[in-house]
Amino acid sequence: MTSRGAGTAFSRKNYRLSTEPEKSKVTGIVNSRLLNDYLHRVFTNADGNQPAAAYRKHLTFQNLQEHLDRLLAEENGSEDSRDQVAEGRLGPSTVVLDHTSGFEGLLLVDDDLLGVIGHSNFGSIRATTCVYKGKWIYEVLISSQGLMQIGWCTLNCRFNQEEGVGDTPDSYAYDGNRVRKWNVTTTNYGKSWAAGDIVSCLIDLDEGTIAFCLNGISLGTAFDNITRGAGMAYFPAISLSFKESVAFNFGSRPLRYPLVEGYRPLQDPPIADLVKARKLLGYLKNVIHIGIDVTEGKLVEKDTSMWQLQGEPTVLITLAHIFNYFSPLMCKVYLVEDVLMTFLLSILERGGAVEAHPLIQQLLDLMWLLMEEYEVHECLKQLLMSLLRAYRFSPIIPDLGLQIHYLRLTIAVLKHEKSRKYLLSNVLFDVLRSVVFFYIKSPLRVEEAGLQELIPTTWWPNRFTKEGKESKEVKEESAEERLRRRAYERGCQRLKKRIEVVEGLQVQILKLLLNNKDRGGGEASRYIFLNKFRKFLQENASNRGNLTVLCPPEYMVCFLHRLIAALRFFWDGHKVKTPAALSSEEAYVPPQLFYNGKVDYFDLQRLGGLLSHLKKTLKDDLAAKANVLIDPAELQAVTMDDLDEDEESATSAAQSQRPSAALAIGGALARPGWLSSPTLGRANRFLSTAAVSLMNPRRPLGTQEKIKVRTLSVEQRTEEDIEGSHGNEGLLLGRPPEEPDQPITENSLLEVLDGIVMMYNLSVHQQLGKMVGVSDDVNEYAMALKDTEEKISRCPKRRRDIHEELLKSQKVFSEKLNHLSRRLAWINVTIYSKEKMQDVYWLLRVCIRTIEHGDRTGSLFAFMPEFYLSVAMNSYSALKNYFSPVNSMEELPGYEETLMRLAAILAKHFADSRIVGTDIRDSLMQALASYVCYPHSLRAVERIPEEQRISMMKNLLAPYEQRPWAQTNWILVRLWRGCGFGYRYTRLPHLLKTKPEDASLPSLQKPCPSTLLQRHMADLLRSDRDLAPSFLNSVLNQLNWAFSEFIGMIQEIQQAAERLERNFVDSRQLKVCATCFDLSVSLLRVLEMTVTLAPEIFLDWNRPSSELLLRRLAQLLNQVLNRVTAERNLFDRVVNLRLPGLESVDHYPILVAVTGILVRLLVDTDVQGAERATAVLLADPCFQLRSIQYLLGHAEPSALAAAAPATDKRHFSLHTYTEYISAEELAKVDKMLSHLSEESKQAAATTLPTSEEDLCPICYAHPISAIFRPCSHKSCKACINQHLMNNKDCFFCKATITGVDDFTKPASS
């Protein structure tokens, strides 16, 4: 390499020392003899020896460059022999993926042509270089652990969407997803791989073998006797399925595991540059080691750890000479990783805090001083890339030493202010996926991670008590189990301490990025971070379907927890300085952030709908309450921008259907590709053999587009825009009068908090639910092991064959449980620990306070983004369902109060007219329905203020036709369950025991009725004369619909089952059928609840609609009874089919619900009420006494006679359900039957035959009893009353009816 500049006059940055003629013997303040000794000590020969003083050349700054050139030229002969050592290889010296012709399918390839993402069923790609002789190696960094086949292929291999590397004769592959090797046929081989592993692919063309290593550990020879000879050369190749991603290292960077003797990387390392860089680094170390004592006139050894430049001109010029050669080398990724990173890591190896090593800060100062700006930028970028790659792809070892090592250096680099700001502005979020630094990967192979040594004793909870009734019978823990559990817990604590060290370092990184005091040379780090963080959130919110952009949820979980820790550190630090501010325990996001336009919420849905719509409809409220004025021109711009966006998306969708040759080769997607290369995050080349782009062109972020509701884009904001100054409130502009005039914290921290809530909503909650699967696996295997052990104990001694098989099963289950329990320990520490639970709980409380403050603003509440309500509901769900095996929610501080406040939010907002989104309204309704299923949360609902409870019940009793009603009905049923007739069951009597993992479902909770809320419901129905009829009519209408649909569907099912040809009933139809049945039962239970709580609604005929409601109820009950109780009827036949999906369809649930209503009307009421109910029931033409007799197993004589041969057939009878129905309830049914028998006999005896002329011309069931005004047409009261509910026109003449009078037939006629 030629040197730059001549003499001391450096053309780069001028550090020339003035040399005057009269001071020719003195350089600065160092005399020439001392300078000569110093330069010879610094610039030693390659062997490290210095020639004797008499033989060495006198060195000055004037001839130093010549001396350096000579030193660097030594031992560079290897450069000439490079062509010779490349024998056995064909192709370019720089090896990359062949993106021009060597691929099949749809693929996304990184900028550096080393990372690839599958974008079709099974895409394949090979490298540009092949080998035909010798031993070669390359590495593959596994970014996702799915279906991939990695190995070697020849030029003749032809792949397609079904066949890839290893599926053709001359291709060989290893598949760590299925743990197999492939060469046309397949056999078991190797170990399973995980994201973060490195696969080494080795080929020995002298011996004809192919082998693979996983994280440096050999998996053995995979293939031998591979085809060799003329024309046979092998390319590195991969086939991968959709979304899977890897990055290749052919030698452009140092191999991570180069220890395989005799094997060479496909791409030669830059030997000459490497030798130079190492020499120059040696000279740099010498400068640091050697000091000049000017007063004594001698050289001294210095403590390198505390080295400082201290403005010594001699040292500075020496360093300038070194950096003149060193700087251009530090722009090359191989040299940065092999030389610079290794040196910096060695500085930190001495231990102690990062602050104890200021040398790294001094070196970074030197780099910024002595290197060109573009060189520093490239060097820092490559250094951070190498650190990120090393951190992500380091194997897990027991003390996590490798991860700690790389994180410490990352902290040391980011502690340097100028470097930190450059990296934040240009690298951390733009090029790198820096969120990787906050992730702690979970080991799939616990033995390699050393968890066996860390947790030598395994244990798993024996929670077999979730099955039904046995839930309270907890077995006593044996002494041996207690010892095992305690040993396991000690192991978990050891693991926790080690992981906490890593987490502490990750939080330190975020504390550096959130520093707002480093204003030297421009904006503070925090404000740069804020803008990048917002852009990161936008990427993840706007590209929910684009997997190359999304941050994986497992990374998000770790990032969220570290960010919460850093945020609370700064929040509480501000509280110390400003006592009037709130502590982080009281944190919330003030409502003005949602409407003042200072924070960008992209296109996320607000509670009140689209932002543009809200700006138009609520502009007067904004002006009056928040003093925020909306410019009409801005409103117009918003509207037009929405239209443009719609048009653009339509255009881009249309374009995506047309072939696009340009995009097929390299359509730029200027944003991180999360699943691609673990280094550079840009998937900038889209490869398609069909030459059709599957990627819709998307508007680049941060371009100058029309501003939506805000005055500044994220990139344009300054510190003043965020924090405010001199009367400008920054983010808090537009404080509503309901909001207290009290400092909360620094405005910038409010935006970080808002971003954390959004992160939880984007993917964290879904990941928390996903990882519970490991705990479920432990429970399943533990049950299987216990079952096997019980079988072993029962196995007869003579059946040794069965005994041996059972012992084998026992061993397999035990090994699996040992593995899973250690893995579960890791997951519990990293995801479900008590500290993580407290973070989620803190987030729940933040959301609750934010919603409460927003609610007080009245109509402006509509501006709040929907995700705040979603996170409030989801975080509570996570605390209750995901953390509970390890930690109990009840132990959290303020748990009862938090539960009550959340209950108040659900009760108030599930029917809030300010919330328009159907999805969020449904979510609120479902959350409330789940809330009332559990005793502790139901009690929280009962503790909210009485006014809110009554309002909630009133909303639940609103007519069903005007909204989705199934969930509302379910809530009312849950409030009643435990009080109804035979309604104290957890599972239906005819169903088998529930699986333990299902026991936490809301529908399988034990009955916990709320008498308080029932009382509110009764008061409302009694006091509001309009509410009761409208509510009950809607319930009766829905019952009529649901039961009719159910009967129609079981007719179709029965017909399909009776056909001779084999028929499969659609599972969706069965599910809908079962749902209609369940709805019918729940609606009947709500009617039973109403009849019990407020019987006067049906029986007090002074109320205008009571008689009509009672007649409608009787009519529906008779219909249900007739359909279900008829002998050998349709219902019976379908129930006896026992079809999967119709398990809940049975006689018991629907018949006890009907019985409960009848008993309440006919037995548990006063004499007058019973008479009225009896008269109406018997007057209904559908009434059959046989249906009532069926309930107690009394079949008709004719039916008994017909059924005589089939003596084994059992009849339904309530008497057989003594565990579910009390003796008192059965006595009431007996009493009801005898009462109805007697009354029906009397009615039959006294009823005179009615002529056809006297019957109602509408129903022909009742005598004429009403005459209409003014037209004088007649019908029975039931028909006209029901008709008038929906229509005021006469049945016959369409005249408007003004009144209805009683009609009695004159005696004379």
Side-chain angles (χ1 to χ4, degrees), residues 1096-1115:
E1096 59 269 35
I1097 295 170
F1098 293 94
L1099 302 176
D1100 179 5
W1101 286 5
N1102 294 323
R1103 290 171 169 258
S1105 53
S1106 291
E1107 185 182 355
L1108 170 64
L1109 288 171
L1110 185 59
R1111 289 188 188 283
R1112 286 198 70 194
L1113 178 63
Q1115 183 185 7

Side-chain angles (χ1 to χ4, degrees), residues 763-779:
S763 58
V764 171
H765 181 73
Q766 133 201 6
Q767 182 66 12
L768 289 178
K770 184 178 170 186
M771 297 310 291
V772 174
V774 179
S775 177
D776 292 340
D777 290 346
V778 169
N779 289 335

Side-chain angles (χ1 to χ4, degrees), residues 463-481:
R463 291 198 303 273
F464 308 107
T465 54
K466 284 192 173 182
E467 298 185 55
K469 295 181 180 177
E470 295 78 29
S471 56
K472 288 186 179 177
E473 300 168 15
V474 179
K475 276 176 61 179
E476 279 295 317
E477 193 177 39
S478 67
E480 184 189 353
E481 280 181 339

Side-chain angles (χ1 to χ4, degrees), residues 283-290 302 304 307 343 359 363:
Y283 304 151
L284 179 60
K285 289 179 182 175
N286 291 341
V287 171
I288 294 167
H289 277 283
I290 302 163
K302 293 185 75 173
T304 57
W307 180 82
F343 171 53
L359 178 56
L363 290 170

